[in-house]
């Protein structure tokens, strides 16, 4: 059995799949919004000097004009705010999974970095969910063997 698996509390074993699911959902949302944020920054801070806006006909508008007209929404600012708040949710799901699994502190920090380095959330999510679910399968199999041995 893997060394990490030994640290999970028995009462927390059933919580692993749910914690993994919420972590995965938040990792994908955070990752997609981070990529949108990178696109927004490229549009705004390169010689293009564009922002994204919803409504008003044009999607790409000159920097500083998005959301100024009635009936328009500054999508560039919306992406920035959404990523910021959803990153907080990502950190919460990261913390929950990390604390249930009782991993070392460095792993929490690595997962946290996944939400701020483009594409990393997808890579880290894939790896962490595999580690967590492999551990879950090992622990539930061990519990089953113990139940059968007790009969």
């Amino acid at each position: 059995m893997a060394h990490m698996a030994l640290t999970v509390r028995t009462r927390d074993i059933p919580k692993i799949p749910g914690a993994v699911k919420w972590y995965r959902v938040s990792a994908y949302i955070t990752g997609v919004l981070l990529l949108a944020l990178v696109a927004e920054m490229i549009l705004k801070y390169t010689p293009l000097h564009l922002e994204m806006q919803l409504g008003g006909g044009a999607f790409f508008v000159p920097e500083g004009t998005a959301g100024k007209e009635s009936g328009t929404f500054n999508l560039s600012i919306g992406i920035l705010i959404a990523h910021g708040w959803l990153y907080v949710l990502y950190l919460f799901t990261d913390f929950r999974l990390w604390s249930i699994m009782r991993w070392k502190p460095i792993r929490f920090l690595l997962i946290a970095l996944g939400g701020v380095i483009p594409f990393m959330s997808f890579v880290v999510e894939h790896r962490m969910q595999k580690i967590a679910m492999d551990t879950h399968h090992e622990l539930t199999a061990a519990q089953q063997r113990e139940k059968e041995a007790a009969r």
Side-chain angles (χ1 to χ4, degrees):
M1 191 183 312
H3 175 64
M4 296 277 176
L6 298 175
T7 62
V8 178
R9 291 181 192 97
T10 305
R11 70 173 186 265
D12 288 339
I13 295 169
K15 297 176 186 173
I16 295 171
V20 167
K21 182 182 87 175
W22 285 110
Y23 163 67
R24 292 186 77 186
V25 167
S26 71
Y28 277 99
I29 292 169
T30 300
V32 168
L33 281 170
L34 182 58
L35 294 177
L37 185 59
V38 168
E40 189 272 328
M41 297 219 158
I42 290 169
L43 288 168
K44 190 172 187 172
Y45 297 112
T46 62
L48 296 171
H49 295 290
L50 294 173
E51 287 181 322
M52 295 177 281
Q53 135 179 313
L54 297 177
F59 183 73
F60 298 108
V61 296
E63 182 183 351
T65 63
K68 299 288 187 215
E69 288 180 36
S70 178
T72 62
F73 174 74
N74 185 334
L75 185 59
S76 294
I77 295 290
I79 290 168
L80 184 74
I81 292 169
H83 177 266
W85 281 106
L86 290 166
Y87 180 69
V88 172
L89 179 67
Y90 173 78
L91 287 177
F92 175 76
T93 63
D94 169 10
F95 181 79
R96 183 163 185 260
L97 179 62
W98 171 80
S99 61
I100 287 170
M101 299 305 296
R102 297 177 74 184
W103 286 329
K104 291 181 172 128
I106 190 72
R107 190 165 286 178
F108 174 80
L109 296 174
L110 288 172
I111 297 171
L113 280 175
V116 294
I117 299 173
F119 296 106
M120 193 171 154
S121 67
F122 305 112
V123 175
V124 172
E125 175 278 324
H126 178 75
R127 217 177 123 92
M128 294 306 148
Q129 72 85 24
K130 181 170 181 2
I131 293 167
M133 292 311 294
D134 286 352
T135 302
H136 180 257
H137 295 312
E138 287 173 16
L139 292 171
T140 51
Q143 282 181 324
Q144 194 59 41
R145 285 191 301 273
E146 286 171 19
K147 280 181 189 170
E148 288 169 8
R151 285 185 191 150

